[in-house]
Amino acid sequence: MPLRWKSSSWKTRKTPANKINDQITVALRLLIAETFSPMNKSAIITSASLAFSSILCSGQDKFDKIEKPNVVIIYADDVGYGDVGAYGAKLIPTPNLDQMAKEGLMFTDGHCSAATCTPSRFSMLTGIHGFRHGVRVLAPNAAMAIKPNMFTLPQLFKKAGYQTAVVGKWHLGIGDGKTPVDWNGDVKPGPLELGFDYSFLLPSTNDRVPCVYLENHRVVGLDPNDPLFVGKKPDGVTCTEYPDGKKNPESMTYYKSSHGHNVSVINGIGRIGRQFGGKAALWNDETMADEFVKQAKKYIASRTKDQPFFLYFASQDIHVPRAPHPRFKGKSKLSYRGDAMVQFDWAAGEIIKSLDDNGFTDNTIVIFSSDNGPVYDDGYEDGTTVHTSTKESDRGHDGSGPYRGGKYQIYEGGTRVPFIIKWPGKIKPGKSTALVNQIDLMASFAKMLNIKLKPNQGIDSRDIFSTLTGSNKKGLNYTIEEAGRTLAIRQGDWKYIRGNFNKKKKKQQAGRLYNLSTDIGEQKNIIKDHPEKAAELKKMLDTVIKTKTGIRSIPQAGIEPASKL
């Protein structure tokens, strides 16, 4: 059955129950005094007061009760719309995700906010578009992109009494950017300073250094006699030095670099950035999925039913370097990339099974999605045949399904990703064509938890909880897409891509307009045929960019049908 959430107006109008009881009792006394004989008055008054009190309290409980289900986000890396069986994949088996699609609400127009990982993660956790703060893909030693004054999704859940945890890839930076991060001491500020009670991390991403796990504030398994440094090591310090992939390409024994990814070579794989020391703490690329699943299951098993929890499980799969465990080798028809996707599907299934084993299934919202669209050869000779996402199909597989482009690109394939939400007994299984975006999770969960966001919190996040739970068939009236420094706006079937300023040519590039209802692959720019529509969407996009108080402050920015801004 569709969910029914209490009206915020009820809370503002309600009177304390004991005061209302007193008022009812007085009214009853006056009524009964005029109607009944003296000997029956007392008993009648007592019985009637108790009955009214019971009715009142029953009704008040119904409206006051706020559901606090556990929430688990299973976040894939570089998984495109067409990489999942339920969304059309034929060469990669994904039975666990397909089963989740059958049991949950599967969105066919679900989006991340950007076509690259760091800004998408930033937006989902803050409810703010990355372009407002210049958030781009971060270097290995980058400071936190999320600043201490920004309200975050885990902080929202903590405000409602939840325990919070993150397990997996972080890639949102660590440190304040002022004091160098001490990898041999307390590594902070990081997730714990942003609202998470527990963290077990891949600090950056698996193609970047440092190649170690970080549990809360400490590097796991670090030998103090082999101190860890990122970028450069202090003079006079003795620690492990790793081969340089540029000078010694033969050291890349797992597979070679195809472009970039050739500085420190660790576990036979070239990485972005230079690492010194920390040999005892190095991760094993082929057991990374196992490690993250183990930590997630351990966290779930430690929870109790009297306190809700929020778990953000951010897998490294299927980001490069793709190094699935040998037991997944050959499980797909697409070598490393396909086998890594099979491994991710296994990991998702293990987390869902752990929820069931620990009795949390019925009271847990599980969301599966991805940080951006697909990419093929993204830096390693791993069997892929297409440079990044410059062509649609790799060996007969189109990771973006019917949509154009993928990771790094402003086209639909860059941000339209798998998006499934499951809540047994609350969300009716099915498919939805409603337009939804991960950035709106903050305002939507705030609605569920009856927490009013301040004007400066999650400023680009809009409440679409009724859409996510299936009780409303309408989606967003528009959403913003981002790829690097390029922005676009989607409104219904219309899509307008903003032209950037070309510094070399010192010329403003023209915008582009597409209609997905007749051109799902965004092949025909029809801006000359529909100049008025292009001008309307450009104005809307310009308004969003210029509005410092965010999308939520703009009239007509919610679920209702759009009108001109």
Side-chain angles (χ1 to χ4, degrees), residues 235-537:
D235 293 336
V237 174
T238 301
C239 59
T240 300
E241 297 199 23
Y242 302 95
D244 185 314
K246 295 177 182 178
K247 297 177 181 178
N248 305 106
E250 70 281 359
S251 63
M252 292 184 281
T253 56
Y254 196 87
Y255 40 46
K256 303 294 183 183
S257 161
S258 61
H259 56 277
H261 301 86
N262 57 359
V263 186
S264 285
V265 179
I266 296 173
N267 298 340
I269 299 173
R271 314 286 173 162
I272 294 174
R274 195 172 300 282
Q275 175 178 333
F276 298 90
K279 185 175 182 179
L282 293 179
W283 66 51
N284 180 334
D285 291 83
E286 293 185 336
T287 62
M288 187 175 289
D290 288 345
E291 186 64 35
F292 287 152
V293 166
K294 182 180 79 173
Q295 297 299 331
K297 290 170 73 172
K298 186 167 71 172
Y299 179 79
I300 291 169
S302 72
R303 300 300 91 203
T304 59
K305 293 185 178 180
D306 59 353
Q307 185 174 34
F309 64 87
F310 165 57
L311 171 61
Y312 169 42
F313 178 84
S315 174
Q316 89 288 356
D317 281 325
I318 54 176
H319 194 282
V320 295
R322 298 158 187 140
H325 192 278
R327 71 179 182 274
F328 295 105
K329 185 176 182 180
K331 296 298 184 181
S332 77
K333 297 181 180 180
L334 296 169
S335 64
Y336 287 102
R337 185 179 186 276
D339 296 348
M341 186 63 206
V342 175
Q343 178 172 263
F344 173 77
D345 178 79
W346 165 82
E350 286 296 297
I351 291 171
I352 292 171
K353 182 177 181 294
S354 181
L355 292 170
D356 197 44
D357 290 344
N358 288 279
F360 292 125
T361 296
D362 291 341
N363 191 39
T364 301
I365 294 174
V366 180
I367 297 173
F368 155 61
S369 198
S370 178
D371 64 345
N372 49 250
V375 65
Y376 303 120
D377 176 355
D378 205 19
Y380 297 97
E381 296 178 1
D382 60 0
T384 48
T385 62
V386 174
H387 179 73
T388 62
S389 56
T390 53
K391 293 181 181 179
E392 291 301 312
S393 179
D394 172 52
R395 296 166 291 170
H397 173 75
D398 189 342
S400 60
Y403 304 104
R404 181 179 177 181
K407 185 176 183 179
Y408 309 120
Q409 298 194 54
I410 196 61
Y411 302 108
E412 284 295 283
T415 63
R416 191 184 290 217
V417 291
F419 197 125
I420 303 170
I421 181 168
K422 171 187 169 185
W423 189 6
K426 300 292 185 179
I427 296 177
K428 184 179 179 180
K431 288 185 180 181
S432 173
T433 59
L435 177 62
V436 296
N437 196 306
Q438 296 166 11
I439 197 172
D440 299 306
L441 290 179
M442 177 178 283
S444 301
F445 281 125
K447 172 69 173 181
M448 179 186 81
L449 298 169
N450 197 30
I451 293 175
K452 185 176 181 180
L453 294 176
K454 296 178 181 178
N456 66 341
Q457 294 177 337
I459 61 174
D460 292 313
S461 188
R462 291 166 282 177
D463 168 28
I464 55 169
F465 192 74
S466 61
T467 303
L468 293 176
T469 52
S471 61
N472 190 341
K473 303 303 180 185
K474 294 180 180 179
L476 296 163
N477 60 30
Y478 67 86
T479 196
I480 306 301
E481 299 176 15
E482 179 180 353
R485 289 172 172 77
T486 304
L487 296 173
I489 185 168
R490 263 279 316 280
Q491 184 190 44
D493 291 321
W494 291 100
K495 179 169 177 178
Y496 172 80
I497 301 175
R498 187 174 184 244
N500 291 331
F501 183 77
N502 190 315
K503 293 183 179 180
K504 291 183 178 180
K505 296 182 179 180
K506 296 182 180 180
K507 183 180 179 181
Q508 180 68 36
Q509 296 173 325
R512 287 164 282 171
L513 182 69
Y514 300 97
N515 189 311
L516 300 179
S517 66
T518 57
D519 180 23
I520 197 171
E522 294 171 274
Q523 296 297 315
K524 186 178 180 182
N525 179 9
I526 55 175
I527 195 165
K528 292 182 179 179
D529 299 329
H530 301 276
E532 291 183 0
K533 188 63 182 180
E536 175 190 342
L537 293 175

Side-chain angles (χ1 to χ4, degrees), residues 113-284:
S113 67
T116 49
C117 56
T118 301
S120 283
R121 293 163 194 268
F122 173 89
S123 295
M124 185 176 71
L125 293 179
T126 65
I128 303 171
H129 278 293
F131 71 82
R132 297 196 188 280
H133 295 273
V135 177
R136 305 281 184 259
V137 177
L138 294 181
N141 55 355
M144 282 199 306
I146 302 175
K147 303 307 177 187
N149 63 331
M150 295 178 183
F151 190 65
T152 65
L153 192 59
Q155 287 173 344
L156 173 75
F157 282 111
K158 281 186 68 66
K159 195 171 182 180
Y162 281 62
Q163 285 289 303
T164 59
V166 53
V167 173
K169 171 179 169 176
W170 183 238
H171 207 191
L172 285 165
I174 289 178
D176 59 11
K178 301 174 182 177
T179 304
V181 173
D182 181 6
W183 293 99
N184 302 291
D186 283 340
V187 182
K188 62 180 184 179
L192 300 191
E193 285 67 45
L194 298 175
F196 286 106
D197 296 308
Y198 174 78
S199 68
F200 187 93
L201 302 178
L202 161 59
S204 183
T205 186
N206 45 327
D207 64 346
R208 288 162 170 75
V209 299
C211 298
V212 297
Y213 295 124
L214 184 66
E215 185 172 28
N216 294 325
H217 287 144
R218 289 282 177 163
V219 173
V220 177
L222 184 65
D223 179 358
N225 295 316
D226 186 23
L228 173 61
F229 302 97
V230 176
K232 61 181 181 179
K233 69 180 181 71
D235 293 336
V237 174
T238 301
C239 59
T240 300
E241 297 199 23
Y242 302 95
D244 185 314
K246 295 177 182 178
K247 297 177 181 178
N248 305 106
E250 70 281 359
S251 63
M252 292 184 281
T253 56
Y254 196 87
Y255 40 46
K256 303 294 183 183
S257 161
S258 61
H259 56 277
H261 301 86
N262 57 359
V263 186
S264 285
V265 179
I266 296 173
N267 298 340
I269 299 173
R271 314 286 173 162
I272 294 174
R274 195 172 300 282
Q275 175 178 333
F276 298 90
K279 185 175 182 179
L282 293 179
W283 66 51
N284 180 334

